[in-house]
Amino acid sequence: MRLYFAQSVIASLTICASLLCSACGSSQLDLEGKSPEQAADAIKGLDKKITEARLQPTVQGPSVVWITWLANSGPSPLLMEQTDIKTLLQSIALAKGNDNIGWVLLFLNETGVDQLGNKSPVLALKLGWNMETLKKVNWDGVQNWQLIDLASIEGVGPFGKNAIDAYCKDGASSYGKTFCTRAGWRG
């Protein structure tokens, strides 16, 4: 009886493991053979915080992925969003058919209030990652903050200074040294 029970448990675990593995394999982002619009739709489907995605082909070089991200409101949107940003970057870096992507640009927005009192997205930071670098990342070993340190700062919007201050206030001497220095944070 014990042998039968042990065999049943092992068989059940094997079935569960194979189902999990097949689900993991099918979740890989596949951009192969897709038009820029189809690729953008696939990227937009990666996270509900992505309000817009574009794959911008260029005349003289690789394409650029443009992603508009609406951060959760909070004191430090960069710190709060870095886990989801890591997942997004990993999906793009490991995607099938990503060979023609050269850069990933992320427009990190926060919810603000316009001149008429209506809530609307307002740019905090525009961050860029070189795709060659992202393809070299050890995704199992990299920390979220290390990916932020790899980002180039392509622009600072109206909420950007506050986002940088909140991120660097605690992290400038530890996790965010490179990013905070590049951002010109003086604390």
Side-chain angles (χ1 to χ4, degrees):
M1 186 69 171
R2 286 184 188 171
L3 180 61
Y4 175 74
F5 178 74
Q7 289 172 333
S8 296
V9 169
I10 291 171
S12 296
L13 289 173
T14 303
I15 290 169
C16 288
S18 68
L19 288 172
L20 286 173
C21 289
S22 66
C24 292
S26 67
S27 67
Q28 182 180 15
L29 181 61
D30 187 359
L31 305 175
E32 217 165 316
K34 291 190 167 48
S35 70
E37 293 79 18
Q38 292 169 324
D41 286 343
I43 291 167
K44 187 174 179 185
L46 292 172
D47 196 291
K48 65 182 185 245
K49 295 175 192 169
I50 299 173
T51 59
E52 183 183 355
R54 288 187 291 154
L55 180 62
Q56 184 71 46
T58 59
V59 177
Q60 298 180 348
S63 300
V64 178
V65 174
W66 297 66
I67 299 167
T68 304
W69 185 281
L70 185 57
N72 288 327
S73 295
S76 178
L78 197 54
L79 191 58
M80 292 174 62
E81 300 295 332
Q82 62 184 348
T83 299
D84 292 335
I85 291 170
K86 175 185 176 183
T87 302
L88 170 73
L89 294 173
Q90 180 178 4
S91 295
I92 294 170
L94 300 177
K96 294 178 189 173
N98 68 2
D99 297 331
N100 197 34
I101 297 173
W103 283 90
V104 177
L105 293 177
L106 180 75
F107 295 80
L108 182 66
N109 292 331
E110 292 185 65
T111 301
V113 178
D114 66 16
Q115 300 148 313
L116 303 173
N118 299 309
K119 288 185 177 183
S120 64
V122 178
L123 178 66
L125 296 168
K126 179 179 165 187
L127 303 174
W129 287 268
N130 180 299
M131 192 64 164
E132 284 183 33
T133 302
L134 290 177
K135 287 181 178 181
K136 294 176 186 174
V137 169
N138 171 2
W139 294 101
D140 291 329
V142 73
Q143 299 295 312
N144 299 338
W145 63 266
Q146 290 172 309
L147 288 171
I148 302 300
D149 271 2
L150 289 175
S152 60
I153 301 168
E154 301 292 325
V156 178
F159 287 178
K161 184 181 180 321
N162 292 342
I164 290 168
D165 285 346
Y167 183 77
C168 295
K169 186 176 182 181
D170 294 323
S173 63
S174 57
Y175 59 80
K177 232 178 210 178
T178 303
F179 176 84
C180 296
T181 300
R182 226 179 344 203
W185 189 77
R186 303 272 182 249

